[in-house]
Amino acid sequence: MKYGHGIWFLIGAAALAVAPAASAKESAPAPTAAGATSAPTKAAPKTILFIGNSFTQGAHSAARNWRAGTVTDLNNAGYGGVPALFKLFAEQAGLDYRVSLETQGGKSLGFHYDERRQLFDKAWDIVVLQEFSTLDRAKPGDPSDYMRNVGRLASLFKARNPAVDIRLAATWSRADQIYKSGGHWYRKPVTAMADDLRAAADRARSSTPSVAGIVPVGQAWNRAMTTGVADPNPYDGIAYGQLDLWAYDHYHASVAGYYLSALVTFGAITGVDPTTLGAKEKGADELGLSDAQAAALQGVARDTLANG
């Protein structure tokens, strides 16, 4: 879905042609054995699977086990995280999704394929893949294994459902990798790591044509920092009125960071403008974000999606 100049359009009322009206015989509900008419069949919910690690789980924040009962954790570990936020956003938008997750902290996509694929080797409507934060633990920034594992997973899911919608989540810059000596992105701009992760996701998508698109989480974090919604450096104190998107370890996300991640995921998958959720959105309230903070993060998500 295209978002031109940040303006969202609803399409559907202006049909170019109208099908002839069905006859009374054709449109009448089928009678039941008792003579009563049957109710219209309700469409089945879309299925969506999240595969990832602690960044999908919502680790080191109140989001981790929040509303875990609304989603299916294939490992029975009790996580809610980003998938549970997605589920609540969809419900508030009037959309029906059956949400599942398969996660393991500190692991790459290769681990999930090699060790866990029996848990998710079936047909899904949508799959979101989230790679390890530095792509390769031994060789930070190297996308080689990422690209190979995206290809393996995509082949598995396409075999089960040729129409599956596969997305790659491009995650955020880690402050510890930017500001601490020894970090692979040390002394580079805070946006650099997220930009590199996005470039790797773009490469993986190009090498695996069955991947439908990128979920630009890292770009939303960058936008939040460059527009003054979020503080870019947690090591020198947090500026008044700005959000800290990182957790206490300056690695994982805070509630605000996961909330922004889920907003971008929701908008990218559904095509719904995240700002339509409104400042009184339930998840923000339950997780302790103010109305103003929720609205600001929703605006960042909308603008990020509008600009690709």
Side-chain angles (χ1 to χ4, degrees):
M1 181 172 182
K2 298 287 186 181
Y3 307 99
H5 306 291
I7 302 174
W8 296 62
F9 296 93
L10 297 177
I11 302 173
L16 296 179
V18 179
S23 69
K25 181 178 180 180
E26 292 170 330
S27 60
T32 64
T37 57
S38 59
T41 302
K42 183 179 178 181
K46 289 185 177 181
T47 59
I48 180 169
L49 170 68
F50 290 82
I51 295 180
N53 50 47
S54 55
F55 281 18
T56 296
Q57 293 169 356
H60 300 285
S61 84
R64 186 185 65 181
N65 305 106
W66 175 81
R67 285 183 174 253
T70 65
V71 297
T72 300
D73 185 336
L74 299 183
N75 295 306
N76 296 313
Y79 294 125
V82 171
L85 278 162
F86 176 92
K87 172 71 173 179
L88 182 58
F89 295 163
E91 288 179 349
Q92 291 173 94
L95 303 174
D96 194 4
Y97 284 85
R98 184 177 297 134
V99 181
S100 300
L101 63 148
E102 195 285 294
T103 63
Q104 182 63 51
K107 298 297 184 180
S108 70
L109 290 175
F111 167 85
H112 296 283
Y113 183 88
D114 293 335
E115 305 293 335
R116 298 277 180 81
R117 67 179 180 271
Q118 73 278 3
L119 295 177
F120 53 73
D121 186 8
K122 66 177 187 176
W124 301 90
D125 294 318
I126 305 157
V127 176
V128 180
L129 302 175
Q130 180 255 308
E131 183 55 287
F132 184 70
S133 61
T134 61
L135 301 179
D136 188 310
R137 189 185 291 275
K139 297 178 289 185
D142 185 339
S144 302
D145 283 350
Y146 177 37
M147 294 168 66
R148 181 174 67 90
N149 290 319
V150 166
R152 292 199 294 165
L153 285 162
S155 294
L156 181 150
F157 291 120
K158 293 292 283 188
R160 292 296 190 176
N161 175 18
V164 64
D165 182 347
I166 301 171
R167 307 293 180 102
L168 306 180
T171 58
W172 54 86
S173 294
R174 284 170 44 181
D176 66 323
Q177 286 284 321
I178 298 288
Y179 296 110
K180 295 181 71 173
S181 62
H184 182 71
W185 288 267
Y186 181 52
R187 291 183 173 172
K188 291 186 177 182
V190 69
T191 56
M193 181 176 178
D195 287 342
D196 285 352
L197 298 178
R198 172 59 187 270
D202 287 336
R203 287 184 63 183
R205 182 186 181 190
S206 294
S207 67
T208 307
S210 55
V211 172
I214 310 299
V215 180
V217 174
Q219 284 56 60
W221 276 51
N222 286 354
R223 179 176 290 273
M225 290 184 282
T226 57
T227 59
V229 172
D231 191 287
N233 186 354
Y235 290 100
D236 65 0
I238 305 302
Y240 178 77
Q242 294 184 345
L243 287 162
D244 185 354
L245 296 178
W246 290 282
Y248 57 84
D249 59 0
H250 310 314
Y251 173 161
H252 294 85
S254 64
V255 161
Y258 289 122
Y259 187 75
L260 180 55
S261 175
L263 287 169
V264 175
T265 306
F266 167 73
I269 297 297
T270 67
V272 175
D273 177 353
T275 65
T276 61
L277 295 169
K280 302 287 186 184
E281 191 279 315
K282 293 178 183 177
D285 179 61
E286 291 179 13
L287 289 169
L289 295 173
S290 71
D291 292 356
Q293 290 170 334
L297 292 169
Q298 290 169 18
V300 168
R302 174 200 60 203
D303 294 346
T304 301
L305 293 166
N307 288 280

